[in-house]
Amino acid sequence: MIADPLVKPEAKSGLRWRNRFAALGPAFHTRLAPTPLPAPYWVGQSRTVADTLCLSNNWLASAEALAAFTGNQSLPGTETLASVYSGHQFGVWAGQLGDGRAMLLGETANGLEVQLKGAGRTPYSRMGDGRAVLRSSIREFLCSEAMHGLGIPTTRALCITGSDAPIRREAIETAAVVTRVAPSFIRFGHFEHFAYNGQHEQLRQLADFVIDNFYPACRSTENFSGNPYAALLEQVSERTAAMVAQWQAVGFCHGVMNTDNMSILGLTIDYGPFQFLDAFNPAHICNHSDTQGRYAYNRQPNIAYWNLFCLGQALLPLIEEQELAIAALESYKRVFPAELEKRMRAKLGLSHSEAGERELVEGILTLLAQDKVDYSIFWRRLSQFAADGQAEPVRDLFLDRAAFDTWLSTYTDRQAQEDAARSAALMRQTNPKFVLRNHLGEQAIQQAREKDFSGVANLLTLLENPFDEHPGFEPQADFPPDWASSIEISCSS
């Protein structure tokens, strides 16, 4: 067997690195070292991500691991760098951006990139300090794993380390570093950067890299006159459509869908001012910085398409024919509604499509919005109704019970066409009992500020398996307290 020249020798961690992105060259990144933090400590770890990376419990508990994932010590074989990209932010061209506080350690031999977020200033920090604070790091760590538990494509989070080093935001906070994991952190904004700067050779190099490593079927496509770059745009459009359909179905608000926050692999990336819906409000805005409501929950599907259109413009120098780019983007309009319909059908426990299904979905969403019903609790109680036939816990959620009774009668007639046990099981595995509500995250953050990380660990356990009952943790699945509505989540972290 011929050894891969990019794979570096194994270290104590057991990690072996091959660093394909680093091999692209200096036009794509700047090599640099993280800035150390004083007296780091563990805040949280994901054993499931550690297993994916084949990291042993002993090593992950070691001082070497703590130092490495804080940015205080390099791991043998890593080639630490920050990548450059550009993008549209809140619909406006923002020019050059880049990894302002994230540093890629490298890519493991099994094809996963490992990145430190909050490890210090880079050439792309844009007057920032390159740091992340404890509150935002806990939210990103937990939500990355919560989305994975829900089956939604996402970057992952291996661990958080903290330090009492002071960080100034609206007030003085403490520092933290999240170790993120993904097959790639390449964004739409990477392509926009080279397209807007007229660097078409680098644009082609990047597109070829993505196709060869993640979308190899685009090379042999018979669609688009065999144009692999149009095929790439189509594949990204379809993955993005499927991802956003899952967001909408579970009631997830991303909060800052800038083009530099959109993954070329169709992964949920960059957890900033996100939120899972409490009371159902289609126009809910979770980002306190989003004064115009651009990224409201009900606008996410159209914003995703707008972002894909920006990607299409960036790829046009390679696709060359505008008609091909437009045809590739059309796949989003086909895939998104089909995927959302499938997801909502599963939430209702329906195994196949029938006439009137759309009206059934639209009808209940209208009632949920009208009475401001808690989104997750409704779907979980409806799942229980499918299992035991007890309607009162669901009816109790509605002010207009007569309107709900009418809907429930129609739904029950439709559900009678299904295998009852199979339908109830489908609903219990589709409608989570636990989601990362803002108040749950806030409680864990307040505990962590007092060096009590049990809240982080307990939430992680629930969110890794959100469809399970988890006896004893009923309060975490209950209605949010009144004070939860006053929590403001912004782009500041």
Side-chain angles (χ1 to χ4, degrees):
M1 179 183 294
I2 300 175
D4 185 338
L6 291 179
V7 177
K8 306 298 182 180
E10 197 169 315
K12 290 180 183 178
S13 65
L15 292 172
R16 302 173 70 225
W17 305 86
R18 61 175 173 175
N19 303 325
R20 289 180 295 181
F21 187 81
L24 286 174
F28 297 85
H29 52 70
T30 300
R31 300 195 185 213
L32 73 170
T35 305
L37 282 168
Y41 47 81
W42 292 112
V43 175
Q45 297 178 346
S46 167
R47 188 61 247 170
T48 59
V49 179
D51 289 343
T52 301
L53 293 170
C54 301
L55 296 176
S56 71
N57 286 331
N58 287 341
W59 185 80
L60 195 55
S62 70
E64 181 185 38
L66 177 61
F69 295 133
T70 306
N72 291 9
Q73 176 180 324
S74 63
L75 288 172
T78 57
E79 298 181 40
T80 311
L81 57 85
S83 72
V84 61
Y85 49 81
S86 298
H88 286 82
Q89 297 193 327
F90 291 91
V92 177
W93 177 244
Q96 180 177 299
L97 302 168
D99 290 330
R101 55 184 169 171
M103 296 187 197
L104 183 68
L105 297 185
E107 179 191 3
T108 64
N110 63 347
L112 291 172
E113 292 185 345
V114 180
Q115 186 185 77
L116 302 183
K117 182 174 180 179
R121 189 175 284 112
T122 80
Y124 317 113
S125 294
R126 305 184 301 283
M127 307 301 291
D129 59 16
R131 292 299 185 188
V133 296
L134 182 65
R135 60 179 165 87
S136 64
S137 300
I138 289 174
R139 282 171 53 83
E140 174 148 9
F141 173 75
L142 290 174
C143 200
S144 299
E145 295 312 289
M147 295 293 269
H148 179 73
L150 291 166
I152 299 174
T154 179
T155 58
R156 305 289 304 278
L158 170 65
C159 59
I160 319 173
T161 68
S163 166
D164 290 339
I167 305 296
R168 178 174 292 280
R169 294 296 182 260
E170 287 89 350
I172 298 296
E173 303 186 50
T174 59
V177 177
V178 182
T179 299
R180 308 198 295 185
V181 177
S184 175
F185 289 95
I186 294 175
R187 306 134 185 278
F188 292 8
H190 281 92
F191 292 87
E192 289 185 289
H193 176 76
F194 295 112
Y196 273 77
N197 286 293
Q199 295 175 278
H200 294 170
E201 180 181 342
Q202 288 80 9
L203 177 66
R204 186 181 301 276
Q205 185 182 357
L206 180 64
D208 288 342
F209 175 84
V210 170
I211 290 171
D212 293 340
N213 290 294
F214 304 107
Y215 296 96
C218 292
R219 290 286 182 209
S220 56
T221 183
E222 296 181 1
N223 298 330
F224 310 111
S225 303
N227 188 311
Y229 307 109
L232 172 63
L233 180 59
E234 180 185 57
Q235 289 297 303
V236 177
S237 297
E238 292 183 2
R239 286 199 191 184
T240 303
M243 175 190 70
V244 175
Q246 289 179 270
W247 290 0
Q248 300 303 110
V250 81
F252 174 75
C253 309
H254 185 281
V256 59
M257 293 174 65
N258 297 331
T259 58
D260 58 295
N261 292 338
M262 298 294 293
S263 162
I264 201 67
L265 301 185
L267 306 174
T268 314
I269 192 172
D270 286 349
Y271 292 95
F274 68 82
Q275 185 178 0
F276 287 87
L277 292 174
D278 292 327
F280 184 65
N281 173 13
H284 180 70
I285 304 164
C286 72
N287 183 354
H288 189 63
S289 304
D290 186 8
T291 55
Q292 301 301 311
R294 176 179 176 82
Y295 298 136
Y297 167 75
N298 59 359
R299 292 184 176 180
Q300 291 183 146
N302 286 339
I303 290 296
Y305 181 78
W306 190 92
N307 289 340
L308 286 162
F309 189 85
C310 291
L311 176 63
Q313 288 182 309
L315 288 171
L316 198 55
L318 307 181
I319 297 173
E320 295 182 336
E321 296 180 38
Q322 186 172 343
E323 293 76 11
L324 291 182
I326 292 173
L329 290 168
E330 284 297 306
S331 63
Y332 181 90
K333 298 178 182 179
R334 169 178 52 81
V335 171
F336 174 76
E339 284 289 326
L340 182 58
E341 183 178 295
K342 180 177 74 174
R343 300 289 171 183
M344 299 308 294
R345 186 187 308 131
K347 291 179 78 67
L348 291 166
L350 308 179
S351 62
H352 59 280
S353 181
E354 294 281 352
E357 180 183 291
R358 181 170 298 178
E359 290 77 10
L360 199 62
V361 172
E362 291 176 352
I364 193 56
L365 293 179
T366 297
L367 292 178
L368 292 175
Q370 172 185 296
D371 287 355
K372 298 181 174 59
V373 175
D374 188 280
Y375 190 75
S376 296
I377 290 177
F378 165 75
W379 287 109
R380 191 67 179 187
R381 289 192 182 182
L382 189 69
S383 306
Q384 188 60 36
F385 164 75
D388 62 20
Q390 301 298 311
E392 285 308 306
V394 195
R395 293 183 76 243
D396 287 345
L397 297 172
F398 292 86
L399 297 174
D400 190 347
R401 293 191 175 185
F404 174 71
D405 288 344
T406 299
W407 179 88
L408 187 64
S409 177
T410 303
Y411 169 63
T412 303
D413 290 344
R414 171 64 183 86
Q415 194 188 42
Q417 303 173 33
E418 302 285 331
D419 177 277
R422 188 174 300 171
S423 177
L426 174 63
M427 294 175 75
R428 283 195 299 270
Q429 291 303 309
T430 304
N431 299 313
K433 181 175 181 178
F434 299 94
V435 294
L436 182 55
R437 296 177 185 267
N438 271 350
H439 76 278
L440 297 177
E442 185 63 23
Q443 288 169 339
I445 289 165
Q446 293 304 326
Q447 285 181 270
R449 284 174 170 161
E450 300 300 320
K451 299 294 196 301
D452 177 359
F453 306 121
S454 62
V456 174
N458 288 338
L459 267 183
L460 180 63
T461 297
L462 301 179
L463 297 170
E464 286 179 329
N465 298 284
F467 305 103
D468 294 351
E469 288 298 322
H470 295 287
F473 287 94
E474 285 74 18
Q476 283 83 350
D478 208 343
F479 296 96
D482 291 340
W483 58 265
S485 61
S486 66
I487 298 174
E488 293 182 352
I489 308 296
S490 71
C491 292
S492 171
S493 61

